Amino acid sequence: MIPHLMYGKEVPTFDPAIIQGVDAVVLGMSSSPKWAEVEIAAAKVAKDAGKPYGFYSDIFKCHRRGWFSPFRESASFVFAFNPADVEDAQQCFPNAKVVATGNPTHASYFDFQVSPATVEEALGLQKTSQVILVCGVKSFPMNVELILTTINACRKMSVKPQVVFGLHPGDPNDRAGYEALVRSISELPIRFVTKAEMPSSHILCRADMLIESTGSLGIEAACKRKPVVSFLTPRAYDLLYAESGERIWTPAVQGTSKLVENESELSLAIQDGAIHHQIVCRQKGVYPKSDVKGQALIMMADVLDGLVRTAH
């Protein structure tokens, strides 16, 4: 059983009786105590029932999230995001079997779900223009910083790109508010797109680069070999610290994205082809495409099978 709380939508109800009929419980690790309510409730029931249970880390340092600390001594397993996280995850969960399975969804990230022409037609993009996808977050202040900094960075370019802003599905703010803000300050048009209109993963199929702020879409862009620029403000660093205890964005350390912190750095990162080439080269090394389909799920199943057999 894997409770999935996607994009900060309303927390679903949880029936404790579900736990009684299973052999093991696999839990996600949502990004705030609020969105993790079901996972925390299920962990408590599994622990009290003596069921093997553990956690699945879907992104860097996910295992450090403090709201799961009451279960660190009793968790049976942790599926780590990558090999670099294993040692740290083992320290956090000393009695768990920690395996670097990776994120199963990443296998699909290498695929182009739609053609560039499909994106151009749906969003009214010019075939010959540079297209920059900006990945929104749930926070209105952080989105405003992203929008304003992108606008100012693009103003310095002799040939203006087409900017598409992918609104986060968990963003409670109305699209019209963002559109009104842009109209009031800039002649550069920005196309705001909801997930219902077109998922950002589809827009990536046409985008020439991605600008993001600590989001998982950067990993998909890396798998698609698209240059990624990570724009981190003090608010973004605070968010990282709240979740992991560090003010470090791993993709920037890996070199799979270019870290920028202000308008001038962003402008350079958008225009410098050498930077783009370096990023894509690192992406190929850090995210090689596996020839084995479903490798992450196979590894997870092996761990769970062993735990269940031992329990019986």
Side-chain angles (χ1 to χ4, degrees), residues 76-275:
S76 302
F77 59 88
V78 172
F79 297 136
F81 180 71
N82 60 22
D85 277 0
V86 169
E87 183 177 353
D88 191 61
Q90 192 69 76
Q91 291 179 0
C92 289
F93 292 84
N95 301 314
K97 181 178 181 64
V98 179
V99 180
T101 61
N103 186 326
T105 64
H106 289 182
S108 65
Y109 283 1
F110 294 90
D111 301 327
F112 286 72
Q113 303 93 327
V114 297
S115 69
T118 298
V119 181
E120 290 167 354
E121 182 178 355
L123 302 183
L125 304 175
Q126 297 298 315
K127 188 178 184 66
T128 58
S129 296
Q130 179 187 26
V131 175
I132 297 175
L133 172 61
V134 182
C135 179
V137 296
K138 301 174 189 176
S139 163
F140 182 78
M142 289 179 66
N143 281 336
V144 170
E145 287 178 313
L146 266 173
I147 292 167
L148 296 182
T149 307
T150 300
I151 287 174
N152 290 332
C154 291
R155 276 179 175 151
K156 300 177 180 180
M157 300 173 63
S158 56
V159 179
K160 302 296 187 289
Q162 294 182 91
V163 178
V164 179
F165 193 98
L167 291 163
H168 193 291
D171 183 358
N173 303 289
D174 187 67
R175 171 167 54 181
Y178 292 118
E179 292 173 335
L181 170 66
V182 172
R183 285 196 303 268
S184 69
I185 62 171
S186 173
E187 72 288 349
L188 179 72
I190 294 182
R191 181 78 154 81
F192 290 90
V193 182
T194 65
K195 184 184 179 184
E197 187 176 359
M198 177 170 281
S200 291
S201 59
H202 288 193
I203 303 172
L204 265 180
C205 298
R206 170 58 181 89
D208 295 294
M209 69 180 305
L210 172 71
I211 299 173
E212 60 88 44
S213 183
T214 71
S216 60
L217 191 66
I219 300 171
E220 181 167 0
C223 293
K224 286 182 166 62
R225 314 312 186 205
K226 303 281 187 175
V228 180
V229 178
S230 298
F231 175 60
L232 268 61
T233 63
R235 287 189 178 92
Y237 281 116
D238 288 345
L239 181 62
L240 285 173
Y241 187 78
E243 292 191 8
S244 69
E246 293 182 339
R247 299 181 186 274
I248 297 172
W249 181 228
T250 301
V253 176
Q254 293 174 330
T256 59
S257 76
K258 174 64 177 176
L259 173 65
V260 301
E261 297 177 330
N262 56 56
E263 174 191 319
S264 297
E265 292 177 352
L266 179 59
S267 181
L268 177 62
I270 291 173
Q271 300 179 71
D272 194 326
I275 291 177

Side-chain angles (χ1 to χ4, degrees), residues 11-51:
V11 177
T13 56
F14 168 66
D15 182 2
I18 296 174
I19 302 295
Q20 304 305 321
V22 302
D23 294 309
V25 182
V26 183
L27 301 156
M29 304 187 83
S30 291
S31 59
S32 74
K34 178 181 179 181
W35 306 125
E37 286 178 5
V38 166
E39 294 153 338
I40 292 170
K44 289 178 180 177
V45 174
K47 180 180 178 180
D48 292 343
K51 300 279 186 178

